[in-house]
Amino acid sequence: GAGVSQSPSNKVTEKGKDVELRCDPISGHTALYWYRQRLGQGLEFLIYFQGNSAPDKSGLPSDRFSAERTGESVSTLTIQRTQQEDSAVYLCASRRIGETEAFFGQGTRLTVV
Amino acid sequence: GENVEQHPSTLSVQEGDSAVIKCTYSDSASNYFPWYKQELGKRPQLIIDIRSNVGEKKDQRIAVTLNKTAKHFSLHITETQPEDSAVYFCAASKGSSNTGKLIFGQGTTLQVKP
């Protein structure tokens, strides 16, 4: 595709439910990142994938958060037993190895009620 | 740990004036410093970046300066226009030879008044 695509664009879920957020990176981009953006805040790093391995998971805030990636393609971020503090925009970015620019998706706005 | 501080959090200027946003970073190993613009409800988009072997870079009305010794970098927008109104984020990274992970500042909301 032309850019990084994320789905759904909006998700409202009840506290305690699990959610899955999807990211389709730009074709050929082996580096993939997930970030969280709380209202009025900067982007917090969550996890980095190189291919389908995750050498840096240091930003995942708790064991309720996990992510996986299939090959050099789609990634899913799963949040189990959602809490109200998980409400945020979750952004995915991808980058071609050897280049510096990271391209962002439009994000998934998650609201936990 | 790695940290990027960004100031001011909000900035209001008159159309045609200049705007300056400043960032400091903590990790001296950082060598890549991009600036992203995020319009309301849209994705962040790269507007300019600078690497640590360069002190200044300019692209039309936008310039970025880097002081490695002080670990400061700044975004300068001249002749501001209403369409420059957005949230601007600075970031620091150890570069693509590392993970390429970006550490972001908290953002500056720029309002350009017509």
Side-chain angles (χ1 to χ4, degrees):
Chain A
V4 179
S5 178
Q6 291 186 244
S7 60
S9 53
N10 281 285
K11 175 73 177 178
V12 180
T13 191
E14 291 181 353
K15 179 180 171 181
K17 295 280 178 74
D18 297 352
V19 294
E20 272 193 3
L21 312 180
R22 177 187 169 109
C23 172
D24 281 275
I26 295 172
S27 178
H29 284 198
T30 56
L32 185 147
Y33 308 84
W34 283 97
Y35 291 88
R36 178 171 69 179
Q37 185 176 26
R38 289 192 165 122
L39 188 64
Q41 301 292 312
L43 285 72
E44 298 172 71
F45 167 78
L46 297 178
I47 188 169
Y48 160 64
F49 283 94
Q50 175 51 44
N52 62 4
S53 68
D56 190 343
K57 307 178 184 179
S58 62
L60 294 177
S62 76
D63 59 8
R64 296 187 296 106
F65 287 72
S66 63
E68 60 180 29
R69 187 177 183 193
T70 307
E72 296 180 354
S73 186
V74 172
S75 176
T76 54
L77 176 69
T78 301
I79 308 173
Q80 296 178 305
R81 305 181 302 281
T82 51
Q83 303 294 314
Q84 287 186 330
E85 66 259 26
D86 299 334
S87 296
V89 175
Y90 290 83
L91 288 156
C92 174
S94 71
R95 179 177 62 83
R96 187 181 301 277
I97 290 300
E99 297 181 1
T100 48
E101 184 174 356
F103 293 83
F104 282 85
Q106 80 281 13
T108 294
R109 181 175 299 278
L110 175 66
T111 304
V112 182
V113 297
Chain B
E2 303 154 322
N3 188 47
V4 175
E5 296 286 334
Q6 182 171 347
H7 299 280
S9 56
T10 60
L11 180 58
S12 181
V13 300
Q14 209 64 40
E15 182 178 0
D17 287 351
S18 295
V20 180
I21 303 170
K22 298 182 179 181
C23 290
T24 59
Y25 59 98
S26 61
D27 191 338
S28 56
S30 297
N31 59 15
Y32 174 65
F33 307 92
W35 286 87
Y36 282 82
K37 176 182 180 182
Q38 187 177 31
E39 296 177 4
L40 193 62
K42 296 192 175 178
R43 70 191 73 196
Q45 293 198 301
L46 180 73
I47 55 170
I48 195 167
D49 57 15
I50 192 167
R51 288 167 178 75
S52 59
N53 58 350
V54 174
E56 183 172 358
K57 184 176 178 181
K58 192 171 182 181
D59 182 3
Q60 299 183 337
R61 296 186 297 107
I62 294 173
V64 58
T65 58
L66 171 65
N67 182 330
K68 281 197 305 181
T69 303
K71 292 189 278 188
H72 288 174
F73 58 114
S74 300
L75 177 71
H76 305 250
I77 306 174
T78 58
E79 301 169 28
T80 52
Q81 301 167 2
E83 52 266 36
D84 294 330
S85 296
V87 180
Y88 291 81
F89 293 97
C90 64
S93 163
K94 295 177 189 176
S96 59
S97 59
N98 199 281
T99 67
K101 170 174 81 177
L102 295 170
I103 305 300
F104 283 87
Q106 294 299 300
T108 296
T109 301
L110 174 64
Q111 181 187 31
V112 180
K113 298 177 187 175

